[in-house]
Amino acid sequence: MTPRNDTTEVTAAGIARLAGVGRAAVSNWRRRHGDFPKPVGGTETSPSFALSQVEHWLRAQGKLVEVPLRERVWQQLAGHPAGPVTALLHTGCALLLLRDRPTDWLAVNAVSDERMAQLLPDALDETVAIRFGVRRRRAVRVPTAAELLPSVPLLRGAAELASELGAKQTYEFLLGRQTDANPRQYTLTPAGPAELMARIAGSTAPAGSAGSAVPARTVLDPACGTGALLRAVPPRPDQYLYGQDSNPELAALTALRLALHSDATVRTMAADTLRADAYDDRKADVVLCHPPFNERNWGHDELAYDPRWEYGFPARSESELAWVQHALARLADGGTAVLLMPPAAASRRSGRRIRADLLRRGALRAVVALPAGAAPPYNLPLHIWVLRKPGPAARPAPELLLVETAGVLAADGRDKQLWPAVQDAVLDAWEHVERHGTLDERPGTARSVPVLELLDDEVDLAPARHLPPPAAAGDGAELLAVRHGLGEALRRAADLAPPPGDLAPSDTEDTPRPPLTSVGELARAGALTLHTGTGEGPGGTPVLTDHDVLTGAAPSGTAHDSNGTHGSDDVEPVRTAPGDVVVPVFGGGTAARVIDEATAGAALGRGVALLRPDPAALDPWFLAGFLRGTANHRQASSYASTSARLDVRRLQLPRLPLAGQHAYSERFRRLAEFEDAVRRAALLGDRLVRGMHDGLTEGTLPPGAA
């Protein structure tokens, strides 16, 4: 076999990741070592290096034992000479061949790189044709031999990784890393909303069927992006999944992703959906869509007489209502459409006539307000609209279901969604309406509102405008209990406050301070091990997020894999254990938390680093205390972007024997107890203030109440 034709390039940041060091260390190596590999590309300020040369040099210097297979494959993809997206498309085709025709893959994998590149196009063309249809109607183009040659080392590595993870999970891992590395290039639908939307659509029995609902046979996403919504659809044997996106690369990535995920017939097309609908001759049982928001150039001028505007011609500023009507036009009679919408679409005056007609004709069945932070843009509480295509004999629905989920979360939940609670609240209300046609009021959460009540001059469909407040907002008995708890919390905080003697200046100024060591040096010496969180793991696994570490809260997340799905039984998460120290790496806040028995067992979330000290060398409280130092964080953080990133390996602490750490450890432990008490008092105080305000303004408390 001829030598591997590996032209993969890697940046200084990639070298640092391979060796587990900061970028400054890579710069030092380049200056100090004359035999360090020379740049082969990039720019003078941001050079790139041949990955194979870098690996050889790192091993020769004893700085690298072995590159983890996942990291090797990712670096090959990220440094591909044609770009990571092209590399991802080549990899997806090869993994599809490996999954569907493993014998053919073994044959092409057993020859030289050059011969493999020559054989692959024919093998891939047959596989792609079977899964995606005739050449002129499919989004996935089979690359030529010349295009494939630089990808051969990557494809071999991806196949090796697939032997460990499976073809589907290998592709999901690489796609997830690509979207994580380029967040501004993709509008992603996170796991929670995607699963909820698919379950809403799946909880409806097809028109004319009896009994319980079954998974939809034909599902369309006209703005499919990376395919998160279609991937969340429950599978069935004879299923058809259709996608369309204006970006040809996304249409191809989605096709490969779906083909690797299931045995459904997959068809994706690359075209502007509103201007060039690729499926105007098809009707779907279900349409799922996360359309682009606030898009003024959606085709307003050239589409004025389009037959899709059955409910009214959308204004130039109402692109979302154009997508709503497109979804209805692509549905079979009785079919269901579920769209993720900006909250303004429920109340803008320019859209009130279309909203009114959707209500009068029974097409709009529910509006669900999600908590802020559920999906991008994360500062808005997005809405889910549920629509039903009226059939010829359909009777307009007399009521619209409105659901508000912000109150489902705990008072201190902020933007970290407890998605099981959110999903349960929404699905319970929706399924009740589907069975009974109406829903009794659930104060602050859900209500079936008569359509006639909504047909005023505004036709405002925002759930918060029409729901009664929660019954307990200003309940006197509850507020008395909160006040009692606040008093106890304040007394405990006062008891735990550092005594004045602890605040006196040190009189040991002449005593030499012990030398410092870094976390990176301790890791290399075996005094601790470092882990990085991914948020991955079996579905339902609790996840400790960076927000939880900063606020001292219990794990608030739920495991998801990097592909945007909810839970992955194939991924073993990094789990916390008592005595671990966790540190958030983004945002610039100084926080370090020692894991106790109550928090142990949670999966480690994204943006969280875990340090597991050797108890024979390091006390966890000593470690956590020094990691929180403000100056320590400042020197270990980079500020190259709009948010700070902490290089945990550069954090420093005194080099002391275990016996010398105990005095510091006890002080840091007491400070943590004081901090928890202050935090609890603040939360109770906030609840009392908000409850008093709500009670006074809603009339459940008299103005003369003490």
Side-chain angles (χ1 to χ4, degrees):
M1 186 178 297
T2 60
R4 191 176 69 179
N5 180 27
D6 194 343
T7 58
T8 301
E9 297 177 15
V10 62
T11 64
I15 297 173
R17 188 182 184 98
L18 288 171
V21 298
R23 290 190 60 177
V26 178
S27 299
N28 289 335
W29 293 342
R30 291 186 64 196
R31 288 194 301 267
R32 293 168 51 193
H33 297 276
D35 60 341
F36 191 87
K38 303 302 181 186
V40 296
T43 65
E44 184 176 348
T45 57
S46 181
S48 59
F49 307 83
L51 177 60
S52 57
Q53 296 177 17
V54 168
E55 289 183 63
H56 178 77
W57 187 87
L58 290 174
R59 287 197 182 92
Q61 295 291 323
K63 302 180 186 298
L64 180 68
V65 176
E66 185 58 56
V67 180
L69 182 57
R70 285 192 184 203
E71 190 62 31
R72 170 192 286 278
V73 175
W74 164 247
Q75 291 294 346
Q76 289 174 324
L77 187 144
H80 194 283
V85 175
T86 297
L88 198 55
L89 292 172
H90 293 181
T91 304
C93 290
L95 289 173
L96 189 61
L97 175 64
L98 173 64
R99 175 188 183 270
D100 291 355
R101 301 167 64 191
T103 303
D104 290 353
W105 168 259
L106 290 175
V108 300
N109 191 43
V111 298
S112 68
D113 286 7
E114 290 77 8
R115 183 59 179 159
M116 182 177 181
Q118 294 171 359
L119 295 176
L120 269 175
D122 288 341
L124 294 179
D125 190 67
E126 186 174 348
T127 302
V128 169
I130 293 173
R131 293 308 306 270
F132 304 128
V134 296
R135 191 186 303 259
R136 65 181 182 85
R137 293 282 293 174
R138 69 189 186 213
V140 179
R141 181 185 69 85
V142 175
T144 65
E147 292 170 330
L148 282 169
L149 184 58
S151 299
V152 168
L154 165 64
L155 304 186
R156 294 191 195 276
E160 185 180 355
L161 185 58
S163 68
E164 298 180 6
L165 304 180
K168 176 184 74 172
Q169 287 301 331
T170 296
Y171 193 68
E172 295 292 350
F173 163 70
L174 294 172
L175 178 61
R177 286 288 290 267
Q178 169 63 11
T179 55
D180 286 349
N182 303 275
R184 296 183 181 181
Q185 296 181 18
Y186 306 94
T187 299
L188 302 177
T189 309
E195 182 180 354
L196 176 58
M197 293 168 67
R199 290 183 64 182
I200 290 173
S203 66
T204 306
S209 67
S212 60
V214 296
R217 183 171 183 266
T218 58
V219 184
L220 166 67
D221 183 348
C224 61
T226 59
L229 288 174
L230 290 174
R231 193 182 185 281
V233 173
R236 58 179 283 178
D238 56 346
Q239 195 168 58
Y240 287 80
L241 300 178
Y242 298 103
Q244 183 168 347
D245 199 277
S246 59
N247 185 327
E249 293 174 341
L250 288 181
L253 289 175
T254 293
L256 291 166
R257 184 183 195 187
L258 296 175
L260 287 164
H261 175 66
S262 73
D263 293 323
T265 300
V266 176
R267 299 288 184 268
T268 63
M269 300 296 292
D272 184 316
T273 295
L274 296 182
R275 289 186 173 92
D277 181 14
Y279 301 108
D280 56 358
D281 59 341
R282 299 185 186 275
K283 298 294 182 181
D285 298 326
V286 165
V287 173
L288 300 173
C289 187
H290 180 178
F293 297 163
N294 302 319
E295 193 176 58
R296 299 186 70 85
N297 184 28
W298 57 268
H300 177 270
D301 295 339
E302 60 263 47
L303 297 174
Y305 300 102
D306 195 288
R308 288 173 292 182
W309 316 143
E310 186 177 346
Y311 300 86
F313 181 41
R316 189 184 303 275
S317 59
E318 293 288 354
S319 62
E320 297 87 4
L321 294 182
W323 285 96
V324 165
Q325 295 190 77
H326 172 82
L328 285 167
R330 295 286 72 80
L331 283 174
D333 289 344
T336 302
V338 185
L339 287 85
L340 194 62
M341 300 281 282
S347 55
R348 280 190 298 242
R349 288 189 60 81
S350 55
R352 65 188 186 279
R353 292 184 180 178
I354 295 177
R355 293 195 299 270
D357 208 30
L358 290 169
L359 290 173
R360 290 192 190 98
R361 299 173 60 181
L364 183 59
R365 307 301 292 270
V367 175
V368 177
L370 299 176
Y378 291 107
N379 60 317
L380 294 178
L382 301 184
H383 289 178
I384 290 176
W385 285 25
V386 185
L387 302 109
R388 182 73 47 74
K389 177 68 174 287
R395 299 176 59 186
E399 296 179 335
L400 175 72
L401 174 64
L402 298 177
V403 182
E404 172 62 68
T405 62
V408 173
L409 305 183
D412 59 344
R414 296 175 69 178
D415 64 338
K416 300 298 178 180
Q417 278 64 59
L418 304 175
W419 272 104
V422 172
Q423 287 188 349
D424 289 348
V426 174
L427 291 172
D428 182 61
W430 170 248
E431 291 169 358
H432 189 282
V433 168
E434 284 289 276
R435 289 192 300 268
H436 305 290
T438 188
L439 178 74
D440 294 335
E441 286 187 2
R442 298 178 181 180
T445 302
R447 177 190 175 200
S448 286
V449 181
V451 167
L452 290 176
E453 184 179 319
L454 299 168
L455 295 175
D456 53 18
D457 291 339
E458 296 182 345
V459 197
D460 190 335
L461 307 182
R465 291 285 300 273
H466 303 281
L467 292 177
D475 180 81
E478 179 182 338
L479 293 180
L480 281 173
V482 172
R483 188 185 186 283
H484 177 73
L486 174 61
E488 292 184 347
L490 289 172
R491 285 189 290 273
R492 175 168 174 75
D495 292 340
L496 292 171
D502 287 356
L503 308 179
S506 173
D507 57 0
T508 59
E509 295 181 2
D510 296 333
T511 303
R513 300 189 65 181
L516 298 178
T517 186
S518 69
V519 168
E521 291 171 345
L522 291 170
R524 286 191 289 273
L528 57 81
T529 56
L530 271 171
H531 303 272
T532 302
T534 64
E536 302 179 13
T541 302
V543 173
L544 185 71
T545 69
D546 54 353
H547 178 75
D548 301 331
V549 178
L550 288 166
T551 61
S556 65
T558 304
H560 64 281
D561 57 18
S562 58
N563 53 47
T565 62
H566 185 75
S568 171
D569 294 333
D570 299 329
V571 178
E572 182 60 33
V574 178
R575 293 185 183 270
T576 58
D580 289 344
V581 176
V582 288
V583 182
V585 298
F586 294 109
T590 58
R593 177 174 172 183
V594 177
I595 298 299
D596 56 15
E597 293 288 348
T599 314
L604 199 62
R606 295 181 186 274
V608 181
L610 182 145
L611 296 81
R612 181 162 292 161
D614 179 353
L618 277 176
D619 184 293
W621 287 102
F622 171 80
L623 174 63
F626 275 99
L627 296 189
R628 286 191 61 170
T630 302
N632 204 2
H633 267 249
R634 188 180 298 119
Q635 66 85 26
S637 296
S638 60
Y639 302 89
S641 62
T642 55
S643 64
R645 178 185 176 92
L646 179 69
D647 184 348
V648 178
R649 289 179 173 270
R650 293 172 56 191
L651 290 170
Q652 297 178 328
L653 60 155
R655 191 189 301 272
L656 289 175
L658 193 60
Q661 300 173 20
H662 291 328
Y664 285 105
S665 173
E666 187 58 30
R667 292 284 291 275
F668 288 137
R669 189 194 302 269
R670 292 203 305 266
L671 277 175
E673 292 178 354
F674 173 61
E675 182 180 38
D676 289 342
V678 170
R679 185 181 287 124
R680 174 165 176 74
L683 290 173
L684 291 171
D686 179 67
R687 286 181 59 187
L688 183 60
V689 170
R690 286 189 292 108
M692 289 289 294
H693 273 285
D694 290 347
L696 290 168
T697 57
E698 294 162 12
T700 59
L701 291 179

